[in-house]
Amino acid sequence: MRNKAANKDFTINNLPYNRRQQFSDVLKHRFNVLIKCGLMLLLFVLPILICIFFKDISTLNLMNSGEENQDVIFSIMFTTDTIYRLIMIPCLFVFSIGLSGVIRVLRNLIFSEPIFFKDDFKDGIKNSIKPMLVISILIGLVSLLGGVLNNLISVGYLSVIPQAFNYLVIYPVCFIAFFLTSIYKNSFSINVRTSFAIYIKHLPKILLSYGLFVIIVLCQFVPVFIFIIKYLLILLLIVFYMPISLFGSYLYQVSLYDKYINIDQFPNYYLKGLYHAKNENKE
């Protein structure tokens, strides 16, 4: 079969000139790379899914046990939730390994660098695993603490404050730090301070970006008795939705780095990957 010729010659004007257009460009021409990223994320998120599965089994068994004593129910649920959050800490670490490799691949997509998926994935793990480990452990510990406090505090809306603080402050700042560590070789404390400064300055958009990425968490509210639908939905979201939302969030972060960091401190990263803008600057 013969390939159809393009209607017009490809010119520099066809290349992306901002991060928003770059997002569309990658979806059109490099979607297969995003799906590969999704498959790798699925592989490394399996321990988390197994952990969630066994928590669902425990919840379902408790629902079917016929237990009516509220103190007993609370004790079982508290113990189950605490164990779940403890086990989740090493599971998050495993996921952060895969996330390190995927973010490296996405970084190369953004900067329009050649992609050798296997090698880039390994390089990402090698270069970012230490800060990713620290961030994943931090997320696991604050999740554990928030869950324990949420179960122990029984005064109305006060019980949701610890977890609300995690979801509205701690997790989004860690989310930004994930991207920072993939580009800049700063100390962990500098990356956290920079992440927090970006978070405060662009709070609404950061929360939106973060929220679109972790929307998959809402799957936990799907009733546990429809296991097949719940976990099929989770698998599809991880493979197809998660890499796209992660890429979009990364692009937004890089646009902020261009504005506040790269333009003065790292000119070699400024507008990198936006060939149209770069060529205009040359002219």
Side-chain angles (χ1 to χ4, degrees):
M1 184 176 67
R2 300 173 63 181
N3 294 327
K4 183 179 179 180
N7 293 328
K8 58 181 180 179
D9 292 336
F10 184 84
T11 68
I12 194 67
N13 292 323
N14 298 121
L15 295 167
Y17 56 88
N18 58 44
R19 301 300 180 188
R20 182 178 299 179
Q21 190 182 51
Q22 191 176 32
F23 179 77
S24 300
D25 188 67
V26 168
L27 286 183
K28 291 178 182 178
H29 305 294
R30 307 301 298 274
F31 187 71
N32 62 316
V33 177
L34 295 179
I35 296 304
K36 287 181 181 179
C37 290
L39 292 172
M40 295 307 296
L41 289 171
L42 176 61
L43 176 64
F44 285 88
V45 84
L46 283 178
I48 293 178
L49 294 182
I50 293 172
C51 190
I52 295 174
F53 176 80
F54 279 106
K55 184 186 178 184
D56 282 348
I57 291 292
S58 299
T59 301
L60 193 60
N61 289 337
L62 180 60
M63 291 170 57
N64 295 331
S65 67
E67 180 62 58
E68 297 181 357
N69 189 311
Q70 293 301 312
D71 291 334
V72 173
I73 293 175
F74 174 80
S75 177
I76 294 174
M77 291 182 64
F78 177 79
T79 302
T80 301
D81 187 68
T82 302
I83 294 174
Y84 161 76
R85 293 180 187 279
L86 278 170
I87 298 175
M88 189 62 74
I89 294 176
C91 292
L92 286 170
F93 170 57
V94 173
F95 178 63
S96 71
I97 296 175
L99 189 60
S100 300
V102 165
I103 285 183
R104 175 70 179 203
V105 174
L106 297 182
R107 172 187 177 276
N108 287 358
L109 271 179
I110 293 172
F111 289 161
S112 294
E113 295 180 351
I115 294 178
F116 303 96
F117 196 92
K118 184 177 179 180
D119 294 333
D120 292 332
F121 190 85
K122 290 181 179 179
D123 288 342
I125 295 175
K126 180 180 178 181
N127 295 331
S128 303
I129 190 58
K130 289 183 179 179
M132 291 291 194
L133 170 61
V134 175
I135 295 172
S136 64
I137 291 177
L138 175 62
I139 292 175
L141 289 176
V142 297
S143 174
L144 173 62
L145 178 61
V148 170
L149 292 175
N150 183 67
N151 287 320
L152 292 179
I153 300 174
S154 57
V155 185
Y157 292 108
L158 290 178
S159 61
V160 303
I161 291 178
Q163 288 291 49
F165 181 76
N166 286 344
Y167 278 100
L168 294 177
V169 181
I170 302 296
Y171 299 157
V173 171
C174 290
F175 185 62
I176 299 171
F178 270 125
F179 298 121
L180 274 174
T181 57
S182 68
I183 299 178
Y184 309 107
K185 303 303 179 183
N186 298 321
S187 67
F188 178 75
S189 60
I190 291 177
N191 280 333
V192 170
R193 290 199 301 270
T194 304
S195 298
F196 186 73
I198 292 174
Y199 168 77
I200 294 298
K201 196 172 184 66
H202 297 274
L203 180 60
K205 290 185 178 180
I206 291 295
L207 287 180
L208 176 61
S209 173
Y210 163 74
L212 289 174
F213 175 68
V214 299
I215 196 171
I216 192 173
V217 174
L218 295 177
C219 290
Q220 66 179 309
F221 299 112
V222 177
V224 296
F225 53 82
I226 49 176
F227 271 64
I228 296 179
I229 296 178
K230 177 175 183 175
Y231 285 93
L232 179 60
L233 177 62
I234 290 175
L235 293 178
L236 291 175
L237 286 174
I238 291 172
V239 174
F240 294 99
Y241 177 78
M242 186 178 283
I244 294 174
S245 61
L246 187 65
F247 179 65
S249 298
Y250 202 173
L251 275 173
Y252 174 63
Q253 291 296 319
V254 171
S255 70
L256 295 180
Y257 304 158
D258 283 338
K259 184 176 181 180
Y260 297 111
I261 302 174
N262 297 337
I263 190 170
D264 294 320
Q265 302 178 43
F266 298 93
N268 56 315
Y269 286 150
Y270 181 64
L271 298 181
K272 188 174 182 180
L274 302 181
Y275 295 112
H276 182 73
K278 183 163 51 175
N279 278 270
E280 281 190 337
N281 290 338
K282 287 181 179 179
E283 294 175 359

